[in-house]
Short mmCIF file of all heavy atoms in Angstrom, two decimals:
data_model
loop_
_atom_site.label_atom_id
_atom_site.label_comp_id
_atom_site.label_asym_id
_atom_site.label_seq_id
_atom_site.Cartn_x
_atom_site.Cartn_y
_atom_site.Cartn_z
N PHE A 1 10.75 -82.67 8.04
CA PHE A 1 10.30 -81.80 7.00
C PHE A 1 11.38 -81.74 5.91
O PHE A 1 12.53 -82.04 6.20
CB PHE A 1 9.90 -80.43 7.49
CG PHE A 1 11.00 -79.65 8.20
CD1 PHE A 1 11.75 -78.67 7.53
CD2 PHE A 1 11.34 -79.96 9.53
CE1 PHE A 1 12.74 -77.98 8.26
CE2 PHE A 1 12.34 -79.30 10.18
CZ PHE A 1 13.02 -78.28 9.52
N VAL A 2 11.03 -81.40 4.72
CA VAL A 2 11.93 -81.44 3.61
C VAL A 2 12.30 -80.01 3.11
O VAL A 2 11.61 -79.04 3.39
CB VAL A 2 11.35 -82.23 2.41
CG1 VAL A 2 11.11 -83.66 2.81
CG2 VAL A 2 10.12 -81.60 1.84
N ASP A 3 13.41 -79.95 2.38
CA ASP A 3 13.78 -78.74 1.60
C ASP A 3 13.90 -79.24 0.20
O ASP A 3 14.86 -79.88 -0.18
CB ASP A 3 15.10 -78.15 2.11
CG ASP A 3 15.49 -76.89 1.36
OD1 ASP A 3 14.97 -76.63 0.27
OD2 ASP A 3 16.36 -76.13 1.90
N ILE A 4 12.86 -79.01 -0.63
CA ILE A 4 12.75 -79.60 -1.94
C ILE A 4 13.87 -79.13 -2.87
O ILE A 4 14.53 -79.90 -3.53
CB ILE A 4 11.42 -79.30 -2.58
CG1 ILE A 4 10.27 -79.92 -1.74
CG2 ILE A 4 11.30 -79.84 -4.02
CD1 ILE A 4 8.84 -79.60 -2.22
N ILE A 5 14.15 -77.82 -2.86
CA ILE A 5 15.20 -77.31 -3.77
C ILE A 5 16.57 -77.77 -3.37
O ILE A 5 17.37 -78.20 -4.27
CB ILE A 5 15.12 -75.75 -3.76
CG1 ILE A 5 13.84 -75.27 -4.44
CG2 ILE A 5 16.35 -75.14 -4.49
CD1 ILE A 5 13.64 -73.75 -4.43
N ASN A 6 16.87 -77.83 -2.08
CA ASN A 6 18.19 -78.26 -1.65
C ASN A 6 18.29 -79.78 -1.42
O ASN A 6 19.36 -80.27 -1.02
CB ASN A 6 18.58 -77.52 -0.37
CG ASN A 6 19.00 -76.09 -0.60
OD1 ASN A 6 19.53 -75.78 -1.65
ND2 ASN A 6 18.71 -75.21 0.32
N LYS A 7 17.22 -80.53 -1.76
CA LYS A 7 17.21 -82.01 -1.73
C LYS A 7 17.57 -82.54 -0.39
O LYS A 7 18.48 -83.37 -0.26
CB LYS A 7 18.15 -82.53 -2.85
CG LYS A 7 17.81 -81.96 -4.24
CD LYS A 7 18.87 -82.40 -5.27
CE LYS A 7 18.57 -81.75 -6.62
NZ LYS A 7 19.58 -82.03 -7.58
N ARG A 8 16.87 -82.05 0.66
CA ARG A 8 17.24 -82.44 1.99
C ARG A 8 15.99 -82.94 2.79
O ARG A 8 14.90 -82.41 2.55
CB ARG A 8 17.87 -81.25 2.76
CG ARG A 8 19.27 -80.91 2.20
CD ARG A 8 19.75 -79.57 2.80
NE ARG A 8 21.04 -79.21 2.31
CZ ARG A 8 21.66 -78.04 2.50
NH1 ARG A 8 20.99 -77.09 3.15
NH2 ARG A 8 22.86 -77.81 1.96
N LEU A 9 16.22 -83.74 3.79
CA LEU A 9 15.23 -84.14 4.77
C LEU A 9 15.77 -83.77 6.14
O LEU A 9 16.82 -84.27 6.52
CB LEU A 9 14.93 -85.65 4.75
CG LEU A 9 14.07 -86.19 5.85
CD1 LEU A 9 12.65 -85.62 5.79
CD2 LEU A 9 14.00 -87.76 5.74
N HIS A 10 15.06 -82.88 6.82
CA HIS A 10 15.44 -82.44 8.16
C HIS A 10 14.61 -83.15 9.22
O HIS A 10 13.40 -83.42 9.01
CB HIS A 10 15.23 -80.95 8.33
CG HIS A 10 16.04 -80.09 7.41
ND1 HIS A 10 17.46 -79.99 7.51
CD2 HIS A 10 15.69 -79.30 6.36
CE1 HIS A 10 17.87 -79.16 6.56
NE2 HIS A 10 16.84 -78.70 5.84
N THR A 11 15.22 -83.43 10.37
CA THR A 11 14.47 -84.02 11.52
C THR A 11 14.87 -83.30 12.79
O THR A 11 16.08 -83.15 13.00
CB THR A 11 14.75 -85.53 11.64
OG1 THR A 11 14.41 -86.18 10.40
CG2 THR A 11 13.87 -86.10 12.78
N VAL A 12 13.94 -82.87 13.62
CA VAL A 12 14.26 -82.23 14.90
C VAL A 12 13.53 -82.98 16.01
O VAL A 12 12.38 -83.30 15.90
CB VAL A 12 13.86 -80.71 14.89
CG1 VAL A 12 12.36 -80.52 14.60
CG2 VAL A 12 14.28 -80.06 16.15
N ASP A 13 14.30 -83.24 17.07
CA ASP A 13 13.76 -83.84 18.31
C ASP A 13 13.12 -82.66 19.08
O ASP A 13 13.83 -81.78 19.55
CB ASP A 13 14.90 -84.46 19.07
CG ASP A 13 14.42 -85.20 20.35
OD1 ASP A 13 13.51 -84.66 21.00
OD2 ASP A 13 14.99 -86.22 20.73
N LEU A 14 11.76 -82.74 19.24
CA LEU A 14 11.07 -81.60 19.89
C LEU A 14 11.40 -81.44 21.38
O LEU A 14 11.25 -80.38 21.93
CB LEU A 14 9.58 -81.70 19.60
CG LEU A 14 9.23 -81.66 18.12
CD1 LEU A 14 7.75 -81.78 17.93
CD2 LEU A 14 9.75 -80.34 17.49
N ALA A 15 11.81 -82.56 22.02
CA ALA A 15 12.14 -82.50 23.38
C ALA A 15 13.54 -81.82 23.57
O ALA A 15 13.73 -81.05 24.51
CB ALA A 15 12.14 -83.85 24.07
N ALA A 16 14.42 -82.18 22.68
CA ALA A 16 15.82 -81.64 22.76
C ALA A 16 15.89 -80.19 22.17
O ALA A 16 16.80 -79.47 22.57
CB ALA A 16 16.73 -82.56 22.01
N GLY A 17 15.05 -79.85 21.27
CA GLY A 17 15.02 -78.52 20.70
C GLY A 17 15.83 -78.32 19.44
O GLY A 17 16.31 -79.31 18.85
N PRO A 18 15.86 -77.12 18.95
CA PRO A 18 16.45 -76.79 17.64
C PRO A 18 17.90 -77.30 17.41
O PRO A 18 18.27 -77.64 16.27
CB PRO A 18 16.43 -75.29 17.60
CG PRO A 18 15.28 -74.88 18.43
CD PRO A 18 15.28 -75.87 19.58
N SER A 19 18.69 -77.42 18.45
CA SER A 19 20.09 -77.85 18.33
C SER A 19 20.14 -79.30 17.91
O SER A 19 21.23 -79.81 17.52
CB SER A 19 20.82 -77.60 19.62
OG SER A 19 20.31 -78.39 20.69
N SER A 20 19.08 -80.07 18.01
CA SER A 20 19.09 -81.48 17.69
C SER A 20 18.81 -81.74 16.21
O SER A 20 18.77 -82.90 15.74
CB SER A 20 17.97 -82.21 18.51
OG SER A 20 16.70 -81.82 18.08
N LEU A 21 18.64 -80.72 15.40
CA LEU A 21 18.37 -80.82 14.01
C LEU A 21 19.36 -81.72 13.27
O LEU A 21 20.55 -81.50 13.35
CB LEU A 21 18.29 -79.45 13.31
CG LEU A 21 17.79 -79.42 11.86
CD1 LEU A 21 16.28 -79.65 11.82
CD2 LEU A 21 18.15 -78.13 11.15
N LYS A 22 18.86 -82.75 12.52
CA LYS A 22 19.70 -83.60 11.74
C LYS A 22 19.22 -83.56 10.27
O LYS A 22 18.02 -83.38 10.01
CB LYS A 22 19.66 -85.05 12.25
CG LYS A 22 20.22 -85.18 13.67
CD LYS A 22 20.15 -86.63 14.17
CE LYS A 22 20.75 -86.70 15.56
NZ LYS A 22 20.64 -88.17 16.08
N THR A 23 20.13 -83.77 9.36
CA THR A 23 19.83 -83.61 7.94
C THR A 23 20.37 -84.74 7.13
O THR A 23 21.49 -85.17 7.27
CB THR A 23 20.37 -82.28 7.42
OG1 THR A 23 19.89 -81.21 8.20
CG2 THR A 23 20.02 -82.06 5.96
N LEU A 24 19.51 -85.25 6.18
CA LEU A 24 19.92 -86.19 5.19
C LEU A 24 19.91 -85.41 3.84
O LEU A 24 18.98 -84.68 3.57
CB LEU A 24 19.01 -87.39 5.08
CG LEU A 24 19.10 -88.45 6.21
CD1 LEU A 24 18.02 -89.48 5.97
CD2 LEU A 24 20.44 -89.06 6.22
N GLU A 25 20.88 -85.70 2.97
CA GLU A 25 20.94 -85.07 1.62
C GLU A 25 20.77 -86.11 0.57
O GLU A 25 21.34 -87.23 0.72
CB GLU A 25 22.27 -84.29 1.46
CG GLU A 25 22.35 -83.16 2.52
CD GLU A 25 23.44 -82.13 2.10
OE1 GLU A 25 23.85 -82.13 0.90
OE2 GLU A 25 23.77 -81.30 2.94
N PHE A 26 20.13 -85.71 -0.54
CA PHE A 26 19.85 -86.68 -1.61
C PHE A 26 20.31 -86.17 -2.99
O PHE A 26 20.69 -85.03 -3.13
CB PHE A 26 18.34 -86.96 -1.68
CG PHE A 26 17.74 -87.41 -0.34
CD1 PHE A 26 17.21 -86.53 0.52
CD2 PHE A 26 17.80 -88.77 -0.04
CE1 PHE A 26 16.64 -86.98 1.73
CE2 PHE A 26 17.27 -89.21 1.17
CZ PHE A 26 16.73 -88.33 2.07
N ASP A 27 20.24 -87.06 -3.99
CA ASP A 27 20.65 -86.69 -5.34
C ASP A 27 19.47 -86.20 -6.14
O ASP A 27 19.61 -85.78 -7.28
CB ASP A 27 21.28 -87.88 -6.00
CG ASP A 27 20.39 -89.10 -6.14
OD1 ASP A 27 19.39 -89.21 -5.31
OD2 ASP A 27 20.62 -89.94 -7.01
N VAL A 28 18.28 -86.29 -5.60
CA VAL A 28 17.05 -85.86 -6.27
C VAL A 28 16.14 -85.10 -5.28
O VAL A 28 16.35 -85.23 -4.04
CB VAL A 28 16.20 -87.09 -6.83
CG1 VAL A 28 16.98 -87.77 -7.94
CG2 VAL A 28 15.85 -88.02 -5.74
N PRO A 29 15.21 -84.35 -5.75
CA PRO A 29 14.31 -83.65 -4.83
C PRO A 29 13.46 -84.69 -4.09
O PRO A 29 12.88 -85.62 -4.68
CB PRO A 29 13.41 -82.79 -5.73
CG PRO A 29 14.16 -82.67 -7.00
CD PRO A 29 14.93 -83.96 -7.16
N VAL A 30 13.37 -84.57 -2.76
CA VAL A 30 12.46 -85.35 -1.92
C VAL A 30 11.39 -84.41 -1.43
O VAL A 30 11.67 -83.37 -0.82
CB VAL A 30 13.19 -86.04 -0.77
CG1 VAL A 30 12.23 -86.64 0.21
CG2 VAL A 30 14.14 -87.07 -1.33
N THR A 31 10.11 -84.68 -1.74
CA THR A 31 9.05 -83.71 -1.57
C THR A 31 8.04 -83.93 -0.45
O THR A 31 7.43 -83.00 0.03
CB THR A 31 8.33 -83.54 -2.88
OG1 THR A 31 7.68 -84.80 -3.20
CG2 THR A 31 9.24 -83.20 -4.02
N VAL A 32 7.97 -85.19 -0.05
CA VAL A 32 6.99 -85.56 0.97
C VAL A 32 7.37 -86.87 1.55
O VAL A 32 8.08 -87.65 0.91
CB VAL A 32 5.50 -85.60 0.33
CG1 VAL A 32 5.40 -86.76 -0.69
CG2 VAL A 32 4.43 -85.75 1.36
N THR A 33 6.96 -87.16 2.76
CA THR A 33 7.25 -88.43 3.45
C THR A 33 6.01 -89.01 4.02
O THR A 33 4.99 -88.25 4.34
CB THR A 33 8.29 -88.25 4.56
OG1 THR A 33 7.73 -87.44 5.61
CG2 THR A 33 9.57 -87.56 3.99
N ALA A 34 6.05 -90.33 4.32
CA ALA A 34 4.92 -90.99 4.97
C ALA A 34 5.44 -92.22 5.77
O ALA A 34 6.43 -92.84 5.38
CB ALA A 34 3.88 -91.45 3.96
N ASP A 35 4.75 -92.50 6.83
CA ASP A 35 5.05 -93.75 7.60
C ASP A 35 4.54 -94.95 6.80
O ASP A 35 3.55 -94.83 6.04
CB ASP A 35 4.39 -93.69 8.93
CG ASP A 35 4.99 -92.66 9.89
OD1 ASP A 35 5.98 -92.01 9.49
OD2 ASP A 35 4.44 -92.47 11.00
N VAL A 36 5.21 -96.05 7.02
CA VAL A 36 4.82 -97.30 6.30
C VAL A 36 4.43 -98.36 7.31
O VAL A 36 5.11 -98.58 8.33
CB VAL A 36 6.03 -97.79 5.48
CG1 VAL A 36 5.67 -99.06 4.72
CG2 VAL A 36 6.51 -96.77 4.52
N GLU A 37 3.31 -98.98 7.04
CA GLU A 37 2.81 -100.06 7.94
C GLU A 37 3.83 -101.19 8.06
O GLU A 37 4.33 -101.68 7.04
CB GLU A 37 1.47 -100.58 7.39
CG GLU A 37 0.76 -101.51 8.38
CD GLU A 37 -0.62 -101.88 7.88
OE1 GLU A 37 -1.57 -101.11 8.13
OE2 GLU A 37 -0.78 -102.93 7.18
N GLY A 38 4.14 -101.53 9.30
CA GLY A 38 5.09 -102.66 9.54
C GLY A 38 6.53 -102.17 9.68
O GLY A 38 7.39 -103.02 9.98
N TYR A 39 6.74 -100.89 9.54
CA TYR A 39 8.13 -100.38 9.66
C TYR A 39 8.18 -99.32 10.77
O TYR A 39 7.28 -98.50 10.98
CB TYR A 39 8.65 -99.75 8.39
CG TYR A 39 9.01 -100.73 7.31
CD1 TYR A 39 8.08 -101.07 6.33
CD2 TYR A 39 10.23 -101.34 7.28
CE1 TYR A 39 8.38 -101.98 5.30
CE2 TYR A 39 10.57 -102.23 6.29
CZ TYR A 39 9.65 -102.57 5.32
OH TYR A 39 9.99 -103.47 4.32
N ASN A 40 9.28 -99.26 11.47
CA ASN A 40 9.58 -98.17 12.43
C ASN A 40 9.89 -96.95 11.60
O ASN A 40 10.91 -96.95 10.85
CB ASN A 40 10.75 -98.57 13.32
CG ASN A 40 11.11 -97.52 14.33
OD1 ASN A 40 10.75 -96.35 14.26
ND2 ASN A 40 11.83 -97.89 15.40
#
């Protein structure tokens, strides 16, 4: 899920729980994501 104002993408492993939260930061707002055919 994203944080549009703070320009971040968060990812949590649901088996591992909240402590597994990882974050990417960007130079622009990232607002939505989608899977791409042919890519992991």
Side-chain angles (χ1 to χ4, degrees):
F1 57 103
V2 299
D3 183 342
I4 297 176
I5 291 176
N6 286 327
K7 305 173 184 175
R8 293 171 179 167
L9 171 64
H10 298 292
T11 304
V12 59
D13 182 325
L14 298 178
S19 64
S20 68
L21 188 74
K22 296 180 180 178
T23 303
L24 287 176
E25 298 197 14
F26 303 96
D27 61 336
V28 295
V30 171
T31 63
V32 66
T33 66
D35 292 355
V36 181
E37 190 172 273
Y39 286 97
N40 181 342

